[in-house]
Amino acid sequence: MPCMPRPDNNMWWRMKALIRPVRRFLNAKVEAFQDVGRRATDREDDRVLAPKIERLKASAAYNAIPKQRILVAGVQTVRRPGSIDRIFATMSKTEKHELVLAAKDVGGIGKLDNINLLLAPHDLNTFDWVWMIDDDVELPDDFTDVFIAMCTLQDYQIAGPAHRTWSYSSHDVTQRRTGLLAHRTNFVEVGPITAFHKKTFDMVFPLPSLRYGWGPDIYWSRTMEANGWRMGIVDAAALRHTGPVAATYDWQAATAECEAYLAEKGIEPKGALQQQMFDTVSEVE
């Protein structure tokens, strides 16, 4: 019986070896073409929203918002050296509010444990907000003032900025709505930027010790009404999340950890990650 041909002599294996780089090249071209369309959508959304943001900034309600003290905590990964400093610099372009900035490297522990370490030296009672941030976002220059304004005017206790079209995101509910300044939801994702008002501190902090950080947002969404919280997404301060979701860690391990955490909280974990989040639209003129 003749021997089977060696893989390196087999025409099929040779064809696959030739096709693979071609497929990578074509996929990159398709993605680049799609990105052009996404950026065009973002430019149009920016154009539509610009006059509404200007009217917001000129309004009596905006100018009456008191000075807020914000503790911003972020974890710096080795993949993006210096990115937290750039994000901090953008956030610090505020005419109204005081920011206290805290950052550290990963240090071999999970994101939420790192955030707990960053918060520990501070008296949270002296802050109006805590912001938890990732190191892979791009923000508009007026992010802080506009974001705080909308959170205050809409009375959000947990909030996040919307995702631009050209942004890596996980949930439709966090996508920017064309022409809206904000939309109320019952879900705010645990990242890439999550803002907590002081009313939530006793219930939220310390954060659970979860290596991958999935699950607390679903718990908050299930308990928001009992806690008297309002949640929302700020479209007027939309960000770009530059890193693919779950690209650097084990998605299955993160899911398993999340489901175990939810089970401990008495939340049926089956399908929890795919649940349809409610999305009520509201706007401030």
Side-chain angles (χ1 to χ4, degrees), residues 7-8 10-26:
D8 57 353
N10 185 288
M11 184 60 69
W12 171 245
W13 288 97
R14 290 183 178 182
M15 288 177 62
K16 287 189 70 174
L18 291 172
I19 291 171
R20 193 174 295 115
V22 174
R23 288 181 62 185
R24 285 198 295 266
F25 173 79
L26 292 176

Side-chain angles (χ1 to χ4, degrees), residues 252-268:
Q252 291 180 324
T255 301
E257 181 185 62
C258 171
E259 292 183 342
Y261 167 78
L262 293 176
E264 290 177 0
K265 294 293 186 181
I267 298 174
E268 174 56 48

Side-chain angles (χ1 to χ4, degrees), residues 85-123:
D85 289 339
R86 290 190 289 274
I87 295 166
F88 282 171
T90 301
M91 287 182 165
S92 297
K93 296 176 182 178
T94 172
E95 299 174 356
K96 297 170 67 75
H97 307 298
E98 176 189 354
L99 273 63
V100 175
L101 309 173
K104 70 180 296 296
D105 58 21
V106 175
I109 60 176
K111 167 183 170 178
L112 302 188
D113 285 328
N114 274 312
I115 297 298
N116 285 334
L117 289 175
L118 289 169
L119 301 186
H122 300 277
D123 180 1

